[in-house]
Amino acid sequence: MAGAIVNLSEATFDEEVGASSEPVLVDFWAEWCGPCKMIAPILEEIAAEQAGSIRIAKVNVDEAPDLARRFEVMSIPTLILFDNGVPAKRMVGAKGKPQLLEELAEYL
Amino acid sequence: MTHHEVVIIGSGPAGLTAAIYSARANLAPLVIEGEPSSNSDQPGGQLMLTTDVENYPGFPDGVMGPQLMADMRSQATRFGAELVTLKVSKVDFSARPFAIWIGDPDAHVPAYTADSVIVSTGARSVMLGLEAEQRLIGHGLSTCATCDGFFFRDQEIAVVGGGDSALEEAGFLTKFASKVTLVHRRDALRASKIMQQRAFDNPRIEFAWNTAVVDVVGDTKVEALALRDTITGEERDLPVTGVFIAIGHRPNTDLFVGQLDMDDAGYLITGSDRSTTNIEGVFACGDVQDHTYRQAVTAAGSGCMAAIDAERWLESRCD
């Protein structure tokens, strides 16, 4: 479905992110993180509105701690934008929608 | 542009209590609750970054901070308060109705106008002001223990500060870290006695007394804290992989400089035993005007005062 957010696991990460024709914004999050929950609806809106420009995916750091380690995530939410499978931009901490869109502007 | 009789700026315990009271007075308040962030300047305020709240009356077993705020929020909406997840960029209290901008502060037309405004923007945690902080935030330096404690399992970390929030963070972090060193400038803590006793009894918490932070060491991630003994002047490095800062708070009053009276520390000045400010029709409540108590329950109490003061003022204008 266009604009749907996929959950990535250690098994699916490389295929989903590496093979994507569009940039993928990956949200590293966890159930116990308040600011992560607060930006979740914003990311859903962006995923729906920007379908075709970028994709949004999530990594639950509780379930995929190796992915968090691999990308040196030590604070959540951390958002990493992968362009052609390579980390191109990193944003640490929750932000409002206008700020997020501004940070992502060059990819939209 | 929409007009409201009451606009509440901020959505911690003060703002949401003001919203509950104003909504029940049929004033259909608008709450501009702020935008998400990873510090306490966010919807729900400082309690969004805490875990167990044990001193809010009515919860004998304690309550999770984010849950308490979610409940206050739904209580406010139940009675007709409208909440928007936006951040105010400018206010103009010099003309009536009062004008409030969102986004571009130079926009010709404000986003909202209001007959009365209740300011409950709260306070945000203070950083050390070191250049290293910007570089290392998210790389071992954190503003949110509940978010990031997980990443420091079996590691040695430090908490800087000596108040209740520092001790709460230190205690929470011992669930993950093998050792937490509490770095404090003085030889005694400001925290409440019960929090102090818990920290002293916790075998994973060590104390570095009379100790100031000189720098956070590390190029791409935190490697150590550079410390100085405030009595002997001796300097040393404390090897840690994580640093959590809890040295205090500063009121969120930048928006109101030049319009509302504030003290030297930036706290809004309110009338004695009232929520009134120097501008008739603008009221203030919660931590933005309280540097003495700073509790969720005192914030809620002052939010109630502000709502009642605003309601009476609006009524008096109609006479």
Side-chain angles (χ1 to χ4, degrees):
Chain A
M1 197 181 84
I5 293 182
V6 277
N7 286 300
L8 301 177
S9 68
E10 276 148 20
T12 61
F13 186 90
D14 288 303
E15 190 185 339
E16 289 274 354
V17 172
S20 174
S21 50
E22 297 130 12
V24 185
L25 182 69
V26 180
D27 169 28
F28 291 82
W29 73 288
E31 196 57 50
W32 33 260
C33 160
C36 300
K37 285 187 160 173
M38 219 179 309
I39 62 164
I42 295 175
L43 292 176
E44 277 172 28
E45 285 176 29
I46 295 178
E49 290 163 12
Q50 304 297 335
S53 313
I54 63 166
R55 293 173 56 213
I56 297 185
K58 288 169 106 79
V59 169
N60 183 323
V61 298
D62 258 334
E63 292 163 7
D66 287 345
L67 283 176
R69 259 192 297 276
R70 179 170 151 197
F71 295 103
E72 293 180 327
V73 172
M74 294 171 83
S75 180
I76 51 173
T78 285
L79 302 173
I80 303 179
L81 186 108
F82 291 84
D83 198 10
N84 295 314
V86 186
K89 195 172 181 73
R90 188 181 179 108
M91 291 167 267
V92 177
K95 292 177 170 55
K97 190 176 176 183
Q99 270 175 289
L100 276 179
L101 287 175
E102 200 179 306
E103 297 255 17
L104 294 171
E106 58 183 302
Y107 299 95
L108 301 179
Chain B
M1 185 174 76
T2 55
H3 180 79
H4 295 263
E5 276 186 287
V6 180
V7 168
I8 298 166
I9 307 175
S11 60
L16 291 180
T17 303
I20 292 166
Y21 273 79
S22 304
R24 288 172 58 86
N26 283 336
L27 293 167
L30 172 76
V31 182
I32 306 176
E33 62 175 352
E35 275 186 347
S37 81
S38 288
N39 60 52
S40 50
D41 185 8
Q42 60 162 305
Q46 294 168 49
L47 286 186
M48 295 301 285
L49 300 184
T50 66
T51 52
D52 281 311
V53 179
E54 295 180 324
N55 54 10
Y56 201 87
F59 298 90
D61 302 320
V63 56
M64 299 301 270
Q67 186 60 49
L68 181 61
M69 297 322 298
D71 287 345
M72 284 191 198
R73 196 178 188 277
S74 55
Q75 194 173 353
T77 51
R78 177 184 157 204
F79 294 109
E82 181 192 342
L83 283 90
V84 289
T85 312
L86 297 168
K87 202 169 166 69
V88 173
S89 55
K90 188 174 88 172
V91 296
D92 182 358
F93 294 155
S94 69
R96 288 164 202 270
F98 301 129
I100 297 163
W101 281 258
I102 306 287
D104 180 9
D106 299 321
H108 189 59
V109 180
Y112 302 104
T113 56
D115 295 323
S116 67
V117 171
I118 295 176
V119 175
S120 52
T121 46
R124 63 182 181 278
S125 37
V126 180
M127 300 299 285
L128 293 163
L130 300 168
E131 182 263 327
E133 284 176 314
Q134 292 310 318
R135 184 175 74 241
L136 294 171
I137 202 152
H139 301 282
L141 186 83
S142 175
T143 59
C144 177
T146 55
C147 305
D148 301 341
F150 169 86
F151 298 103
F152 299 94
R153 205 174 289 276
D154 302 323
Q155 299 179 37
E156 298 193 357
I157 62 176
V159 172
V160 184
D164 272 341
S165 32
L167 292 199
E168 199 212 321
E169 288 197 359
F172 174 78
L173 289 166
T174 58
K175 291 183 192 172
F176 306 97
S178 53
K179 186 171 98 178
V180 176
T181 303
L182 194 97
V183 178
H184 188 45
R185 277 183 303 172
R186 291 179 238 287
D187 62 358
L189 300 167
R190 292 189 307 275
S192 59
K193 291 290 180 285
I194 185 170
M195 298 294 286
Q196 294 197 25
Q197 197 52 52
R198 262 187 223 165
F200 294 144
D201 291 345
N202 189 325
R204 291 190 180 195
I205 299 182
E206 288 188 7
F207 294 85
W209 301 108
N210 299 311
T211 303
V213 175
V214 180
D215 204 358
V216 187
V217 183
D219 287 331
T220 56
K221 59 183 181 192
V222 171
E223 289 162 10
L225 267 183
L227 302 176
R228 185 177 59 237
D229 188 305
T230 57
I231 295 170
T232 65
E234 198 179 318
E235 300 206 350
R236 67 178 173 113
D237 277 2
L238 174 72
V240 287
T241 52
V243 176
F244 293 79
I245 311 288
I247 52 173
H249 292 86
R250 181 165 298 152
N252 294 316
T253 49
D254 295 351
L255 275 177
F256 312 111
V257 171
Q259 301 194 62
L260 296 181
D261 288 347
M262 41 189 91
D263 67 15
D264 292 340
Y267 287 89
L268 298 184
I269 297 172
T270 49
S272 169
D273 299 326
R274 303 290 307 276
S275 67
T276 48
T277 67
N278 56 303
I279 294 181
E280 214 180 284
V282 178
F283 304 87
C285 53
D287 283 11
V288 74
Q289 51 85 55
D290 170 19
H291 48 79
T292 310
Y293 305 107
R294 295 184 292 196
Q295 302 300 303
V297 65
T298 50
S302 71
C304 165
M305 290 164 61
I308 292 175
D309 285 344
E311 183 190 356
R312 290 187 180 156
W313 178 77
L314 287 166
E315 275 171 8
S316 72
R317 261 185 350 154
C318 302
D319 289 346

